[in-house]
Amino acid sequence: MTPRLLRWLIPLSAVPVLALLAYGFRVNPREAPSPLVGRPAAVFALQTFEGAPLALEAQRGKVVVLNFWASWCYPACYEEAPVLERNWRAYRDRGVVVIGVDIQDTPEAARKFVRDFSLSFPNARDTTGRVSVDYGVYGVPETFFIDRRGRIRAKHVGGVTDETFRTNVETLLAEPTG
Amino acid sequence: MSARGAALGLALALAVAVAVAAGAAAQAPTRRVTEQQVHDVAAQLRCVVCQTLSVADSPSEMASQMRAIVRERLEAGEPPERVVQFFVDRYGEWILLAPPRRGFTLLVWAAPVVAVAAGLLLAAVLLARWTRRRRAAPAAPPVVDPAMQERIRRELESGP
């Protein structure tokens, strides 16, 4: 090994380490692929803010848009709330249901959020965190698109836009029923 | 009530009691779980909202809810590895604070070992080279040209 080669070898050996670090630090864990996509959606039974029972199983046969939110999640949840409401109204007659699950929140702030945005789709609080864990939720907002057979088909991290909603829902609606 | 009726009633009551007891046993095979056992599992899991802390160390509400789930599953008799797997199934391997020693993440475990080995090898090579050079140096007689030798001799003789 000549000294000249050695002089180059030492800094060069740092390159793979730097590359690994660069890769690791640029990966957002929230965007890491969810192991749940393609798997059956975990069933849950919650109670809406109005006190009505809200069970995922009761929605079988419908395309379900399951949205996790919190009143402190600003601005993303505030931006997507009108989007969800608008699209729920547009699609509800086509066999689509939007379900909102409020996590890590106080009931007062959550109720105010639902009121402020006049959300008419069913919303419930996950008081024990069990639903959040079952869906591997890292933070809010996160949205799951569930097909008619009850399987999770897509996970969206961050605020839902009209386009995200439509693209995912239309794909699932286009699939043959049953 | 006839004797037959009483016997039937007794049998029925007994059957109900057995069924209830069996149901209770099946529903809650609770075992005693210590705080330490919950901690041991929670310490392996990353707190999903704070990310740099473990579920055992995080004061967040999410972490405390996750600890409750860990406790509940341990109490139901699930072995610790299965409880950890429960979270991996939902969050992916990212939830583990220590990456698994296989596949791509094996690199994280192997890299320090490889780096230390490479460093030791390099140090050994360099040390060998330096000692060889130093040992070789005194073997050669010092080269002083005759003019300088002559000058030194003269100055030593002339004295102060």
Side-chain angles (χ1 to χ4, degrees):
Chain A
M1 216 189 298
T2 64
R4 181 177 297 193
L5 188 68
L6 209 66
R7 205 170 297 151
W8 279 104
L9 212 62
I10 293 168
L12 270 180
S13 65
V15 170
V17 177
L18 288 176
L20 187 65
L21 286 177
Y23 167 75
F25 281 115
R26 284 179 54 180
V27 171
N28 183 349
R30 286 189 65 191
E31 279 153 22
S34 169
L36 296 173
V37 172
R39 300 232 302 249
V43 293
F44 58 81
L46 297 168
Q47 219 177 31
T48 66
F49 286 100
E50 289 80 35
L54 178 59
L56 183 68
E57 271 186 315
Q59 312 300 334
R60 198 57 49 87
K62 287 182 182 173
V63 169
V64 178
V65 179
L66 180 65
N67 170 254
F68 288 87
W69 62 273
S71 66
W72 45 262
C73 147
Y74 181 85
C77 293
Y78 287 72
E79 284 164 5
E80 70 169 7
V83 175
L84 291 171
E85 178 65 21
R86 184 161 63 231
N87 284 285
W88 146 250
R89 289 182 191 205
Y91 280 96
R92 59 188 298 182
D93 295 332
R94 292 181 57 192
V96 176
V97 63
V98 177
I99 294 176
V101 176
D102 171 45
I103 66 168
Q104 318 289 322
D105 214 342
T106 62
E108 302 76 33
R111 274 172 203 282
K112 186 176 182 304
F113 184 94
V114 172
R115 223 172 26 241
D116 287 352
F117 286 102
S118 315
L119 301 181
S120 62
F121 57 86
N123 269 284
R125 285 185 70 218
D126 176 26
T127 48
T128 58
R130 265 156 231 280
V131 182
S132 320
V133 168
D134 269 343
Y135 282 85
V137 171
Y138 289 122
V140 274
E142 279 183 21
T143 306
F144 294 83
F145 295 90
I146 301 166
D147 68 14
R148 292 198 187 96
R149 289 194 288 169
R151 281 180 314 174
I152 297 174
R153 298 293 297 280
K155 175 188 179 179
H156 179 80
V157 174
V160 170
T161 59
D162 284 309
E163 205 204 328
T164 316
F165 192 103
R166 278 181 213 141
T167 319
N168 282 289
V169 165
E170 290 289 354
T171 307
L172 297 184
L173 281 176
E175 289 179 351
T177 41
Chain B
M1 201 191 271
S2 69
R4 206 170 151 193
L8 196 70
L10 192 72
L12 208 69
L14 204 71
V16 167
V18 166
V20 166
Q27 235 170 34
T30 27
R31 55 171 67 183
R32 208 171 259 285
V33 173
T34 64
E35 207 52 54
Q36 186 60 43
Q37 283 168 308
V38 175
H39 183 277
D40 287 347
V41 171
Q44 297 175 49
L45 303 171
R46 187 192 304 276
C47 158
V48 295
V49 288
C50 28
Q51 301 187 7
T52 52
L53 290 175
S54 76
V55 167
D57 300 322
S58 167
S60 74
E61 189 187 344
M62 187 83 183
S64 94
Q65 288 175 341
M66 284 169 84
R67 283 196 296 273
I69 293 172
V70 168
R71 170 171 285 279
E72 195 186 272
R73 300 192 83 86
L74 287 174
E75 278 173 351
E78 228 176 74
E81 316 83 65
R82 286 269 304 280
V83 179
V84 170
Q85 192 56 42
F86 168 84
F87 287 94
V88 172
D89 286 345
R90 283 152 182 79
Y91 285 93
E93 281 173 349
W94 181 85
I95 193 90
L96 299 172
L97 279 174
R101 294 175 203 209
R102 60 183 150 72
F104 178 68
T105 45
L106 181 65
L107 209 59
V108 180
W109 292 97
V113 179
V114 170
V116 167
L120 284 175
L121 193 72
L122 189 71
V125 166
L126 289 179
L127 268 174
R129 180 173 300 180
W130 290 336
T131 48
R132 206 182 311 132
R133 201 178 288 164
R134 200 167 296 165
R135 232 179 273 133
V143 187
V144 182
D145 66 290
M148 181 58 96
Q149 258 177 349
E150 177 56 25
R151 190 178 156 193
I152 292 169
R153 196 186 54 79
R154 234 186 301 122
E155 286 190 9
L156 280 171
E157 278 172 4
S158 64

